[in-house]
């Protein structure tokens, strides 16, 4: 039975991944910043037959990452999914940059996943699957002109940095059997964004995206480790 650790698992895609992996019989370590307010996650844990554990984690805080490592000890982890992320500050445009907000966005979206991967490296090596996954975004594609992302400078920079960091790990950890997936989940429409009836035609539900991502994670091999793909399996440019 696989053990899957998911960050940002209290809502949206993270919660969808937790639901889907639990339904498949995996042991899920569901991490989020404030477990006390994660009511749906607690319902999932209660109905999972002890397959879902909830652990506090703020990926933007090194002390929190260290605390998670102490809690887990040497427990094997088959799949580590770095899902937690923030959109970033309001001011990240051609005319105005919130400097502190930019740094915070990079810390949470790009640095946090790298530090977490390093902290749990031995746990991954003890797992059977040894899969490290980064939930990225096509907005991190430097070569694409994306009109819908033109005022997301900090967010795009953070996802491009995440892609580069994870791509490097796919090379440097290959000899130890660690496989790295860099995946775009699609335009995930959540309840917080509005009713499903208002969802754009190009959007996807959290659980539909989760199923696509899980399929790619299951199919991850040394030949595809470090590739940047959409939840549908499409190769994305850097």
């Amino acid at each position: 039975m696989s053990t899957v650790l998911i960050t940002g698992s209290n809502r949206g895609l993270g919660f969808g991944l937790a639901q889907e992996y639990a339904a498949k019989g995996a042991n899920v370590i569901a991490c989020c910043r404030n477990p006390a307010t994660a009511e749906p996650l607690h319902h999932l844990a209660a109905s999972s037959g002890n397959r879902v554990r909830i652990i506090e984690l703020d990926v933007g805080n090194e002390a929190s990452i260290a605390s998670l490592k102490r809690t887990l000890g040497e427990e094997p982890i088959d799949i580590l999914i770095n899902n937690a992320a923030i959109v970033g500050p309001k001011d990240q445009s051609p005319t105005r940059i919130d400097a502190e907000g930019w740094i915070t966005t990079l810390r949470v979206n790009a640095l946090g996943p790298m530090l977490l991967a390093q902290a749990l490296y031995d746990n991954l090596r003890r797992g059977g699957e040894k899969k490290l996954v980064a939930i990225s975004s096509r907005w991190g594609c430097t070569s694409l002109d994306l009109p819908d992302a033109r005022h997301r400078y900090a967010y795009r920079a953070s996802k491009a940095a995440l892609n580069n960091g994870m791509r490097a790990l796919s090379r440097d950890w290959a000899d130890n059997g660690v496989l790295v997936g860099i995946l775009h989940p699609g335009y995930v429409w959540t309840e917080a964004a509005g009713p499903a009836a208002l969802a754009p035609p190009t959007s996807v539900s959290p659980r539909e995206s989760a199923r696509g991502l899980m399929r790619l994670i299951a199919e991850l091999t040394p030949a595809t480790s470090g590739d940047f793909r959409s939840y549908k399996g499409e190769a994305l440019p850097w």
Side-chain angles (χ1 to χ4, degrees):
M1 186 179 297
S2 296
T3 295
V4 183
L5 188 148
I6 306 166
T7 69
S9 61
N10 58 309
R11 62 182 180 180
L13 177 60
F15 184 65
L17 285 164
Q19 286 178 301
E20 292 296 322
Y21 272 111
K24 294 290 186 181
N27 290 316
V28 177
I29 303 171
C31 299
C32 61
R33 283 188 299 172
N34 191 353
T37 62
E39 187 173 340
L41 199 52
H42 282 283
H43 288 315
L44 177 63
S47 64
S48 70
N50 296 318
R51 289 195 307 276
V52 177
R53 278 182 289 162
I54 306 171
I55 302 179
E56 181 177 346
L57 173 67
D58 179 352
V59 298
N61 185 304
E62 291 182 67
S64 183
I65 292 174
S67 176
L68 174 66
K69 172 58 181 175
R70 288 193 297 271
T71 298
L72 295 176
E74 303 305 320
E75 178 179 351
I77 294 174
D78 292 284
I79 304 171
L80 167 56
I81 303 178
N82 283 290
N83 167 71
I86 59 175
V87 174
K90 180 179 178 180
D91 294 327
Q92 45 177 321
S93 71
T95 58
R96 186 175 175 86
I97 294 294
D98 176 342
E100 288 301 317
W102 183 299
I103 294 300
T104 298
T105 305
L106 284 171
R107 173 170 287 277
V108 172
N109 293 0
L111 177 60
M114 294 293 291
L115 294 178
L116 183 62
Q118 290 179 343
L120 301 184
Y121 177 60
D122 287 338
N123 303 78
L124 274 173
R125 290 186 64 190
R126 287 181 170 84
E129 298 189 45
K130 300 179 177 61
K131 293 178 179 178
L132 171 63
V133 177
I135 303 301
S136 186
S137 170
R138 72 187 184 101
W139 284 8
C141 299
T142 304
S143 62
L144 292 182
D145 180 17
L146 301 170
D148 57 339
R150 285 180 179 167
H151 284 194
R152 293 297 183 194
Y153 278 44
Y155 182 81
R156 294 197 69 176
S158 73
K159 289 300 186 179
L162 172 66
N163 290 353
N164 275 268
M166 290 292 163
R167 176 77 167 175
L169 289 184
S170 75
R171 299 189 184 101
D172 293 337
W173 289 357
D175 289 344
N176 292 316
V178 176
L179 304 177
V180 180
I182 307 168
L183 306 177
H184 165 56
Y187 182 11
V188 180
W189 188 262
T190 65
E191 290 182 4
L198 299 179
T202 56
S203 67
V204 59
S205 73
R207 296 194 74 164
E208 182 182 352
S209 175
R211 293 181 190 117
L213 294 170
M214 288 168 62
R215 183 179 64 254
L216 290 180
I217 294 168
E219 295 172 353
L220 194 60
T221 68
T224 59
S225 182
D227 287 357
F228 185 21
R229 296 186 179 275
S230 78
Y231 76 103
K232 294 181 178 180
E234 303 159 330
L236 296 174
W238 298 101

